[in-house]
Amino acid sequence: MALINELQAQMKTAMKAKDKETLSVVRMLKAAVLNKQISLGHDLTEDDEKSVLATELKQRKDSLAEFKAAGRDDLVAQLEGEIKVVESYLPAQLDEAAVASLVDSVIQETGATGKADFGKVMKTLMPKVKGQADGALVNRIVKAKLS
């Protein structure tokens, strides 16, 4: 519930500052959080809140890649601003080196030896990096380490 209160406060700040872009993004985030809360039927845990924010961030990053490929520079700039707002609510993202060291420790922990153990490694690793690293990055690093 802390995220809802934070989003509400950010909405008021954006309204007072007449910052339409931030206000729009914060409203979308608040709606996504409330929709998830309604679908689950109870207040969200911190992990649930991170999951919703990570989903929103992933959607925007996917759209960004598509807009860049289509040459829509007007939408790229807008989306980059939205991504910055969403990232401000997530914990700091792990860099590639930090993810690689986590992957190494999980591989040792699980005793993984090859590609057949990919699922076992991902199952153990993903809860540790939830909301802190992009799943595609984690996937790529795990595949590289296990091959």
Side-chain angles (χ1 to χ4, degrees):
M1 231 22 209
L3 180 62
I4 291 289
N5 296 335
E6 190 178 337
L7 290 170
Q8 188 67 35
Q10 184 66 34
M11 278 177 53
K12 287 179 186 176
T13 304
M15 279 187 231
K16 289 178 182 176
K18 298 188 185 328
D19 185 355
K20 291 181 181 179
E21 292 81 19
T22 302
L23 179 60
S24 172
V25 175
V26 173
R27 280 183 173 154
M28 283 188 272
L29 292 175
K30 184 179 177 194
V33 170
L34 288 173
N35 285 339
K36 183 69 169 183
Q37 185 175 342
I38 290 168
S39 71
L40 292 177
H42 59 77
D43 287 347
L44 299 180
T45 64
E46 191 173 327
D47 284 341
D48 292 336
E49 291 173 347
K50 284 181 189 176
S51 175
V52 171
L53 291 174
T55 301
E56 292 294 315
L57 182 63
K58 183 178 182 341
Q59 288 174 348
R60 283 167 176 74
K61 284 186 176 181
D62 290 347
S63 296
L64 182 67
E66 291 178 22
F67 290 153
K68 281 183 179 179
R72 296 291 310 265
D73 296 332
D74 55 329
L75 296 175
V76 167
Q78 177 187 348
L79 214 48
E80 286 173 342
E82 288 183 16
I83 288 172
K84 287 180 183 171
V85 172
V86 175
E87 285 177 339
S88 70
Y89 292 101
L90 285 168
Q93 297 292 297
L94 297 173
D95 63 349
E96 196 165 335
V99 173
S101 69
L102 274 171
V103 169
D104 289 336
S105 68
V106 169
I107 287 174
Q108 287 179 345
E109 178 185 322
T110 59
T113 56
K115 289 184 179 181
D117 297 321
F118 176 80
K120 184 168 46 171
V121 172
M122 289 297 286
K123 181 179 173 185
T124 307
L125 182 62
M126 286 311 288
K128 294 181 180 183
V129 298
K130 188 173 191 172
Q132 296 179 328
D134 182 37
L137 171 69
V138 174
N139 188 318
R140 183 173 46 84
I141 292 173
V142 170
K143 281 183 180 175
K145 299 271 185 184
L146 290 177
S147 59

